[in-house]
Amino acid sequence: MTDAPPPQPRTAMQELRGIPVSGGSGVGRALLYEEAPDVRAAAARPPRDLEGEVRRLHEAAERAGADLGALHDSLAASRDAVAQIFFAHRAMLTDFLPRLEVAIRAGSSAEHAVQTVIHAAAAKIARVEDPILSQRAKDVIDIGRRLHRALTGAPAATLPDDDADGPVIVLASDLSPSQAVQLRGRNVAAIALEQGGHTGHAAVIIKSLEIPCVMGVQGLIEASSPGQMVWVDGSSGQVVIEPDAAAMERAVDLGLRYDRLEASLLGESHLPAETIDGHRATLLANIEYPFDVEVGIERGAEGVGLYRTEFLYAGAGQLPTEEQHVAAYREALGRLAGAHLTIRTFDFGADKESPLGTSDPEPNPALGVRSLRWCFEHPDAFRVQLRAILRVAAEGDVRVMLPMVASLEELRRARRLLAEAAEELAREGVAHRADLAVGVMIEIPAAAVTADLLAREADFFSIGTNDLIQYDLAVDRMNPRLEPLFRPSHPSVLRLIERTLEAAAEAGIPVTMCGEMGGQSIYAVLLMGMGLRQFSLTPGYIPRVRRLLRGLTLLEARQLAGECLRAATADEVEALLRARVTPVGAG
Ligand code: PEP
Ligand code: MG
């Protein structure tokens, strides 16, 4: 018996390619972040000593509980909702122990007890009619997995500790948004995943954590083993397993160049995003958690153009209370110190974790009850959120933004619900602000095409290109195989944006772009030329867009935009952009 891991066979260098998702270069030892086998697959081992088996269970539960406690504490400093998940899991784990003991004393092994008791509990919960409760089944399965790992010593999907032996490269088939956020503040040099695309929600989080990342790397897991040296270049999409000496030299050199560029960009954070001929753009931050504000401010964000509030739910398994909403919004507003906060109402579904429940899966979630549709189906949950937004709006510059609006009826219905929530607060004598600005996200082609109608009743627009492109081109934003077809440069996408900008200008309302397109620096030039003046970006993109805009005249940008809008194909548009715009950091 030995606890030491077997020595890693030295293998030849392998080069894999994927989708570059988050820039930068990272080298480290591979950490395979794979789930342990499902508790359903746990082996039944007939126990000889039942009391000994009960002791094993308690020892394992103690280890699992300690892990959960440590996870909770490591996140608690930021007071985010994710920390609460682990707190809840620990309590649930304790609740299961008496039932597990009974099963063991009836003749089961500890593993088999976990398999039967926890899986039966999960199945029962999944059948519950209430979709929010039924979602808890996932948590129960998670607890079962953790306990099973603690019993068997199976390699866990553990995250690296702060004091891990040097930086690690997280390799996984996929990561959920709540798993991604747990990588915050750990010694993760880079991430590579087999699944995913650059606008999915795990990607959004990873970008905001500024960890280099490549997704959609086919054959990644099969090609790698734990502990191998790996180099991930998040800017080019290259993943190198067991890099040879020359590749290592390139990796180190690239890492140094990247760090130098970042430092010099950061030094410009106080400068305005202004063209050479004095035309100013406003750069805002997209955030998922209140603590993201800090990074945004550091990079010179002038406010928050998109707060994705569905992350208050992600992984927590239960919807936030009004006070939890208020606390999160207040925290973000406080960190903004006077700058504005645009709170987007819940955008559950499709690529985001959803309280829809697993008991009644939809055939096509991206075209299903997501977003505003979910809010209309759950008026109580929506009212809780609207009340919280109205309350915090009394304390600073807060705007509300509605995702996935497809028609004027939907905007009117949401406004009515907002007015009702305000009346309710007024009746209760609770301080609030009823006349806050109400914005519409333009992320369904129908909204872009009817932007002139929506502009009459919206206070501002925000163009969500991640979904707008997905729905316009019928390209699933989460499918790595379709990544080459996900093209912001498609003439249809450009026309929808142009139409939106024109309608907003006509009605005199402001437009922001909060989709990832705005952060891809070559497109920022095109968008500036098309008339966009507000960019809400993943914080890490802000410095690049600022530098790019400061290096051109509006006249140049306008000429380029005119040519791009006349081009007949995405290839032509991209060729024009490549010929005239040098991305920051290239060359
Ligand atoms: C978008 O669709 O472009 C957007 C910003 O919203 P999300 O990525 O959260 O769907
Ligand atoms: Mg969207």
Side-chain angles (χ1 to χ4, degrees):
M1 275 281 295
T2 169
D3 288 321
Q8 288 303 318
R10 185 80 214 165
T11 50
M13 181 168 98
Q14 295 181 76
E15 293 186 60
L16 304 172
R17 282 223 154 255
I19 305 159
V21 162
S22 177
S25 168
V27 180
R29 296 269 167 210
L31 181 130
L32 285 180
Y33 188 81
E34 286 301 293
E35 288 296 347
D38 194 293
V39 288
R40 281 167 283 189
R45 184 173 53 81
R48 293 200 193 99
D49 166 16
L50 292 182
E51 287 314 308
E53 206 62 12
V54 169
R55 264 197 314 280
R56 270 186 76 225
L57 169 75
H58 280 279
E59 283 160 14
E62 209 161 293
R63 283 194 295 276
D67 285 353
L68 286 165
L71 273 169
H72 171 270
D73 295 348
S74 70
L75 290 161
S78 55
R79 283 170 293 155
D80 59 60
V82 181
Q84 296 308 316
I85 309 168
F86 301 111
F87 191 71
H89 279 198
R90 191 155 63 164
M92 285 161 82
L93 173 66
T94 312
D95 288 348
F96 272 116
L97 289 179
R99 270 184 277 169
L100 291 167
E101 269 187 45
V102 170
I104 292 172
R105 293 211 165 92
S108 283
S109 68
E111 286 89 342
H112 193 241
V114 170
Q115 174 194 346
T116 48
V117 172
I118 295 211
H119 189 244
K124 193 166 160 201
I125 296 172
R127 282 196 299 273
V128 172
E129 292 263 309
D130 180 337
I132 295 172
L133 261 184
S134 67
Q135 185 75 358
R136 298 299 289 261
K138 271 194 196 164
D139 295 293
V140 173
I141 293 278
D142 245 26
I143 292 162
R145 282 195 171 121
R146 190 174 287 280
L147 200 48
H148 183 256
R149 285 197 300 265
L151 277 166
T152 59
T158 47
L159 294 164
D161 300 326
D162 292 342
D163 55 357
D165 223 7
V168 299
I169 305 290
V170 172
L171 306 179
S173 119
D174 203 1
L175 285 180
S176 71
S178 46
Q179 286 170 328
V181 79
Q182 288 173 49
L183 300 178
R184 178 170 179 258
R186 293 173 191 268
N187 204 355
V188 177
I191 299 168
L193 306 179
E194 283 193 341
Q195 306 293 319
H198 71 83
T199 64
H201 271 68
V204 160
I205 299 238
I206 291 165
K207 277 186 254 189
S208 71
L209 297 177
E210 302 186 351
I211 302 176
C213 176
V214 178
M215 291 189 177
V217 188
Q218 281 179 28
L220 174 72
I221 301 300
E222 207 176 307
S224 46
S225 318
Q228 279 180 317
M229 196 51 99
V230 180
W231 168 32
V232 172
D233 180 2
S235 308
S236 72
Q238 195 180 33
V239 176
V240 184
I241 296 169
E242 294 288 12
D244 60 19
M248 273 304 259
E249 207 172 297
R250 269 201 328 274
V252 171
D253 180 52
L254 212 78
L256 285 175
R257 273 198 286 156
Y258 192 84
D259 291 348
R260 270 200 299 271
L261 175 66
E262 283 302 301
S264 89
L265 286 167
L266 217 54
E268 296 169 5
S269 293
H270 60 288
L271 298 173
E274 190 174 274
T275 59
I276 294 167
D277 47 349
H279 296 270
R280 179 102 204 248
T282 303
L283 304 184
L284 306 164
N286 290 347
I287 65 164
E288 283 74 51
Y289 293 96
F291 54 72
D292 293 332
V293 168
E294 226 95 300
V295 187
I297 297 283
E298 216 175 83
R299 280 147 186 64
E302 296 173 67
V304 166
L306 166 63
Y307 177 4
R308 292 181 162 106
T309 59
E310 49 285 352
F311 284 92
L312 278 168
Y313 170 82
Q318 58 193 37
L319 287 166
T321 62
E322 184 173 319
E323 293 315 314
Q324 285 169 332
H325 277 286
V326 168
Y329 306 159
R330 200 173 266 159
E331 186 184 341
L333 196 61
R335 289 178 187 244
L336 277 164
H340 80 256
L341 175 66
T342 309
I343 302 176
R344 177 175 75 183
T345 56
F346 284 145
D347 186 20
F348 291 129
D351 57 313
K352 291 131 184 148
E353 276 173 45
S354 165
L356 287 178
T358 47
S359 50
D360 186 18
E362 293 188 284
N364 193 340
L367 302 179
V369 186
R370 66 169 285 202
S371 219
L372 201 53
R373 297 170 189 168
W374 183 91
C375 290
F376 290 154
E377 279 199 4
H378 297 82
D380 290 344
F382 195 29
R383 195 179 63 246
V384 166
Q385 179 169 42
L386 295 177
R387 283 172 57 101
I389 295 171
L390 289 161
R391 283 173 58 189
V392 179
E395 301 169 16
D397 187 353
V398 171
R399 304 155 195 196
V400 63
M401 183 158 89
L402 306 167
M404 300 282 294
V405 172
S407 67
L408 199 49
E409 284 96 337
E410 287 176 344
L411 169 58
R412 288 179 182 160
R413 187 167 170 191
R415 273 197 182 275
R416 261 199 315 277
L417 294 172
L418 192 67
E420 280 168 23
E423 281 160 22
E424 208 175 70
L425 289 167
R427 275 198 304 277
E428 294 166 15
V430 178
H432 67 285
R433 178 175 177 166
D435 65 344
L436 80 174
V438 179
V440 163
M441 281 191 75
I442 304 291
E443 51 183 352
I444 298 181
V449 171
T450 58
D452 56 328
L453 306 175
L454 290 166
R456 293 185 202 149
E457 298 184 28
D459 297 315
F460 64 93
F461 282 160
S462 189
I463 306 175
T465 48
N466 306 340
D467 280 309
L468 188 63
I469 297 169
Q470 154 164 273
Y471 294 123
D472 184 29
L473 305 181
V475 171
D476 181 350
R477 65 192 265 188
M478 295 300 288
N479 186 341
R481 283 174 59 195
L482 299 180
E483 191 72 18
L485 299 180
F486 192 94
R487 300 181 85 175
S489 51
H490 192 294
S492 174
V493 174
L494 298 187
R495 287 178 191 197
L496 291 177
I497 294 170
E498 187 187 27
R499 199 173 174 116
T500 304
L501 290 169
E502 279 171 7
E506 183 87 1
I509 61 169
V511 189
T512 303
M513 177 173 288
C514 59
E516 298 294 310
M517 177 181 181
Q520 290 171 265
S521 38
I522 53 168
Y523 292 118
V525 176
L526 165 61
L527 293 164
M528 185 80 183
M530 287 171 72
L532 185 76
R533 290 294 175 274
Q534 295 198 78
F535 299 75
S536 191
L537 309 165
T538 301
Y541 292 164
I542 293 174
R544 284 176 162 68
V545 170
R546 177 189 296 107
R547 183 178 281 183
L548 203 69
L549 296 181
R550 289 179 60 80
L552 54 93
T553 65
L554 187 62
L555 190 67
E556 285 169 319
R558 280 197 178 133
Q559 276 168 354
L560 181 61
E563 287 173 49
C564 288
L565 285 166
R566 285 191 292 277
T569 65
D571 283 346
E572 282 174 43
V573 171
E574 286 169 27
L576 280 164
L577 293 175
R578 268 198 305 273
R580 308 265 277 283
V581 184
T582 309
V584 172

